[in-house]
Amino acid sequence: MKSKARLMQGNEACVEGAIAAGMKFFAGYPITPSTEIAEIAAEKLPRVGGKFIQMEDEIASMAAVIGASLTGSKSMTATSGPGFSLKQENIGYAALAEVPCVVVDVQRSGPSTGLPTSPAQGDIMQARWGTHGDHPVIALTPSSVRETFDLTIRAFNLSEKYRVPVILLMDEIIGHMRERVELPDAFEIEIVNRKKPTVGRDQYLPYKADEDLIPPMANYGEGYRFHVTGLAHDETGFPTNSPAMADKLYRRLMDKIEMHKDDIIQWEEENTDDADVVIVSIGGVSRAADTAMKQLREKGYKVGTFRPITVWPFPEKRLLELASKVKTFVVAEMNLGQIALEVERIIKDKAELKKVNKVNGEAIYPEEIIARIEEVL
Amino acid sequence: MNNNETVTDKLVVNENWCKGCGICVKFCPKNVLKVENEKVKVIDIDKCIQCGLCELRCPDFAIYVRGK
Amino acid sequence: MPSALVNEYFRTNKLPQIWCPGCGHGIITRAITAAIDKLGLERDKICIVSGIGCSSRAPGYMDFDTLHTTHGRAIAFATGVKMANPDLKVIVITGDGDATAIGGNHLIHACRRNIDITTIVFNNNIYGMTGGQYSPTTPKFDKGTTAPYGNIDKAFDIPALAAAAGATYVGRSTAYHTQLLISLIENGIKNEGFSLIEALSVCPTYYGRKNKKGSAVDMLEWQKDHAVNISAASKMTPESLEGKFLIGEFKNSPEPEYTSEYQKIIDRLCKE
């Protein structure tokens, strides 16, 4: 039934994906341009035996999501820039306590209330470093309605697999865009569930990682009677003041993502084989980049595109390979140069870097990218 | 922990956990206890009526009535 | 061997606890386990949640599923736990600053929803963990390290706040009035809805010392001498109530519980 083509909004596809992934709990707070996600979740979740709650604020929403996840429910919250700022406190908690959860940020213009609710991509760095302290994070960015569906499922799968908060970094363009999509049937969708302990309560060490650096996770209410804290803890889960144990924990949290980078990182590239110029972009801007590339190709210019689907960790290895043969990277983004910072860090002086930036609340148009590239060529 | 336990037929005191706050001493209705060297000591166990008020108000779980 | 109660419900390998000598928090923590014991609740279906502060260290010592969260957020985390798994009995342990300053918004909204969570506020009238700053329950004109000339803020009456916000079971007791405290916690847990029990603790180290309240023993004696049970208060003259404070059961008026109401929606939709 679900495989029938439908006209669907990005935000709706996000909820469809979440439910397909097994989401059973959503806590949120109204904020444009993400509100449809809460509205649709409120309507759909009780129909599949799931729970929706509108909390008193964004901080509480993030807290409730973590609490629900600890009972074994796959949980999600959705927000936009101002709310994303508020959620950072407990995103840090989820990262440290290794509680799987999905946080959707439909980016809008900021800082502060900014230009409600025009599109922007100003939360790239906040998605990576928004909460204090070194911490692991995964952030995914869709650039179509169908991909929003797919990446929401993937966000759940990665968060369950690696016990890490996963940020679905959308932008207003994708969130509010409507496209005709055909969703896959349930049997076609790969679902990943968190690793469960294979030992009883007496032997269970809730933060003792396996060789893959990920500890198996019990649910509250199953008789394991374990402790979860936001303090630095040892393998037992109880607080420690030991410098050695704290060091071991913090490094493992980062290493568990580093170790599995190849599984986590996805990107898409087109016409990069012979490209002199490669446009780097994410989300809504990638649609303009694609049009720009095609128009320039028609004019005979050797232009390609590179689109990180996983923004964090960034597809560093592939970008570096491209840097050895590409003359110029043009980074187009709806901010004043956040992805460009990461690209610059990776390519160093191996290739030239040019930027297309826009922060006036309007989308980046193909002509603007074309104009910048024509300056180069 | 057991090597610093005082066990009488009515009360048990765990000196390792006792912080010597004196709450049990003050609210014991029969003056069975006192604090000595910052630890509670049983001084007159014969008077103990096992009312349990010491156990109820000991913040450190360091004293309790046997058989309860 | 510790007492049977402590041996049963505490992680005895984590004891002795970190609290200062004479801190009332240990008395209250034990009272919670005594109430759980009396109710004979299913052990593995209890989840104890706390925030940050002296009180919030309590769950670490208690042998249940325990969740030590961020400052002020215990009730919000607990709301997620309870919503996702209503079979769990959820108990929140929090402090005066944790529950009514940084967590004040979460507190009133949980009261309003009447979600089945029993919250025990360990009120020591001060921020202890950070070294004695004045809190929302520091009495007016008392001192804290951040109120060196006396606190000019008016203190919250936590049970009145919770009752007004919609909590369906509300009470107050003290570390001294331990039996009453145990029975209030018992009734709070039995109430299917949001219950708040204010447990007046004593902080001899910071609040006591700053305000010349004497030792822990002196502070407990003060509680004994100044508390009046609400059932007795109605028969007393205003003069005789001067300078006293009320303890006892302040509100017990069951209303439909939040997760049950949500379950009704699920059941109705699944029938369609």
Side-chain angles (χ1 to χ4, degrees), chain B residues 31-49:
Chain B
N31 299 316
V32 174
L33 309 163
K34 75 166 187 175
V35 173
E36 202 177 271
N37 299 324
E38 297 187 342
K39 298 286 174 190
V40 63
K41 281 274 172 299
V42 179
I43 50 166
D44 197 351
I45 194 65
D46 292 343
K47 283 199 261 171
C48 175
I49 53 170

Side-chain angles (χ1 to χ4, degrees), chain C:
Chain C
M1 272 287 283
S3 72
L5 184 81
V6 170
N7 204 42
E8 178 66 18
Y9 295 108
F10 283 80
R11 292 162 171 151
T12 51
N13 63 336
K14 301 290 169 199
L15 296 172
Q17 29 82 342
I18 56 160
W19 295 312
C20 304
C23 171
H25 286 10
I27 305 174
I28 304 165
T29 304
R30 185 189 169 283
I32 296 170
T33 60
I36 289 170
D37 189 58
K38 283 191 171 183
L39 288 167
L41 299 176
E42 195 182 340
R43 177 62 169 281
D44 292 336
K45 297 292 174 195
I46 297 171
C47 181
I48 303 186
V49 187
S50 68
I52 293 291
C54 293
S55 63
S56 292
R57 288 305 186 97
Y61 303 116
M62 302 169 82
D63 194 12
F64 301 93
D65 282 328
T66 50
L67 177 56
H68 178 221
T69 71
T70 43
H71 196 22
R73 318 300 176 210
I75 293 173
F77 277 76
T79 299
V81 171
K82 183 68 188 179
M83 269 296 270
N85 187 352
D87 292 341
L88 297 178
K89 277 278 166 205
V90 180
I91 297 168
V92 168
I93 292 177
T94 176
D96 40 315
D98 196 52
T100 69
I102 191 166
N105 199 30
H106 311 309
L107 171 67
I108 57 173
H109 286 274
C111 290
R112 177 177 69 84
R113 292 185 191 107
N114 194 35
I115 187 164
D116 186 15
I117 293 170
T118 301
T119 294
I120 297 125
V121 183
F122 291 37
N123 181 1
N124 59 3
N125 309 101
I126 205 91
Y127 287 90
M129 193 69 94
T130 45
Q133 298 74 34
Y134 73 100
S135 87
T137 61
T138 303
K140 202 162 185 178
F141 308 124
D142 275 3
K143 287 180 179 164
T145 57
T146 46
Y149 311 112
N151 163 39
I152 58 169
D153 291 16
K154 192 157 78 178
F156 265 139
D157 177 336
I158 299 175
L161 176 73
T168 48
Y169 187 91
V170 178
R172 177 194 283 139
S173 188
T174 75
Y176 176 81
H177 300 87
T178 323
Q179 292 289 17
L180 172 67
L181 179 62
I182 294 169
S183 71
L184 292 176
I185 296 169
E186 243 184 284
N187 291 336
I189 294 172
K190 272 196 277 187
N191 174 48
E192 283 177 27
F194 193 85
S195 306
L196 181 133
I197 290 99
E198 180 183 31
L200 296 177
S201 190
V202 291
C203 173
T205 304
Y206 292 112
Y207 176 73
R209 200 177 289 161
K210 268 267 171 224
N211 293 289
K212 303 190 169 56
K213 301 287 184 188
S215 66
V217 167
D218 296 330
M219 294 175 82
L220 288 172
E221 287 227 282
W222 186 90
Q223 291 184 339
K224 175 184 156 196
D225 296 340
H226 291 80
V228 176
N229 197 294
I230 189 165
S231 56
S234 58
K235 297 168 206 114
M236 291 168 69
T237 61
E239 294 76 42
S240 59
L241 284 170
E242 190 72 32
K244 308 282 193 200
F245 66 92
L246 297 182
I247 56 173
E249 184 180 273
F250 297 165
K251 184 177 178 184
N252 185 358
S253 50
E255 284 177 40
E257 192 274 326
Y258 191 79
T259 60
S260 307
E261 291 297 292
Y262 197 89
Q263 190 58 46
K264 284 183 198 164
I265 296 174
I266 294 177
D267 293 344
R268 196 169 71 221
L269 291 170
C270 291
K271 263 188 230 158
E272 275 178 12

Side-chain angles (χ1 to χ4, degrees), chain A residues 123-338:
Chain A
D123 305 350
I124 314 266
M125 285 299 170
Q126 195 186 11
R128 180 64 197 90
W129 296 116
T131 198
H132 62 278
D134 291 308
H135 59 275
V137 80
I138 296 173
L140 312 176
T141 302
S143 71
S144 71
V145 173
R146 171 60 203 258
E147 196 179 40
T148 302
F149 176 87
D150 294 336
L151 287 189
T152 308
I153 296 170
R154 188 166 154 76
F156 273 97
N157 286 348
L158 291 173
S159 98
E160 290 283 317
K161 192 169 178 181
Y162 298 115
R163 292 190 59 176
V164 67
V166 176
I167 316 294
L168 186 74
L169 200 58
M170 296 172 66
D171 55 52
E172 192 273 344
I173 296 174
I174 302 303
H176 280 164
M177 184 170 65
R178 285 175 197 278
E179 286 183 307
R180 186 177 173 277
V181 290
E182 201 166 314
L183 299 183
D185 286 319
F187 68 87
E188 297 172 87
I189 297 169
E190 190 206 355
I191 302 294
V192 178
N193 295 312
R194 64 191 69 168
K195 191 163 65 175
K196 306 284 292 179
T198 52
V199 296
R201 183 169 80 90
D202 293 342
Q203 276 115 51
Y204 182 49
L205 289 169
Y207 289 92
K208 184 174 169 40
D210 294 334
E211 278 184 4
D212 61 4
L213 301 184
I214 304 148
M217 185 173 177
N219 295 333
Y220 279 166
E222 288 181 336
Y224 282 92
R225 303 214 291 262
F226 61 107
H227 188 60
V228 177
T229 178
L231 288 166
H233 44 269
D234 59 22
E235 290 177 340
T236 66
F238 288 94
T240 176
N241 285 321
S242 148
M245 293 312 288
D247 183 80
K248 191 178 169 195
L249 170 69
Y250 294 143
R251 288 181 191 277
R252 178 178 64 75
L253 292 180
M254 299 297 269
D255 288 347
K256 77 176 173 182
I257 300 303
E258 184 67 27
M259 181 188 227
H260 301 283
K261 257 182 170 175
D262 290 344
D263 179 47
I264 296 165
I265 292 173
Q266 287 184 329
W267 72 91
E268 190 179 71
E269 59 185 77
E270 207 177 334
N271 289 331
T272 49
D273 287 351
D274 63 344
D276 296 323
V277 176
V278 166
I279 311 166
V280 181
S281 67
I282 62 163
V285 179
S286 296
R287 305 172 74 94
D290 188 56
T291 305
M293 180 266 288
K294 282 172 183 153
Q295 289 184 14
L296 287 164
R297 279 272 163 187
E298 276 169 24
K299 291 185 193 172
Y301 296 123
K302 290 178 177 168
V303 177
T305 55
F306 183 78
R307 178 172 74 86
I309 296 170
T310 309
V311 178
W312 302 116
F314 201 84
E316 180 168 353
K317 203 164 76 183
R318 181 57 187 153
L319 193 78
L320 202 55
E321 284 166 11
L322 289 175
S324 65
K325 51 185 186 175
V326 168
K327 285 195 195 104
T328 307
F329 288 98
V330 174
V331 182
E333 51 187 331
M334 289 186 286
N335 58 50
L336 291 176
Q338 298 189 20

Side-chain angles (χ1 to χ4, degrees), chain A residues 37-77:
Chain A
I37 296 174
E39 289 172 339
I40 299 164
E43 187 210 326
K44 301 217 169 199
L45 266 175
R47 294 180 182 276
V48 295
K51 315 279 173 68
F52 169 90
I53 187 167
Q54 183 169 305
M55 295 297 286
E56 54 276 12
D57 60 31
E58 303 280 6
I59 301 168
S61 308
M62 192 62 222
V65 157
I66 295 168
S69 181
L70 284 163
T71 72
S73 279
K74 291 188 182 179
S75 305
M76 182 173 98
T77 185

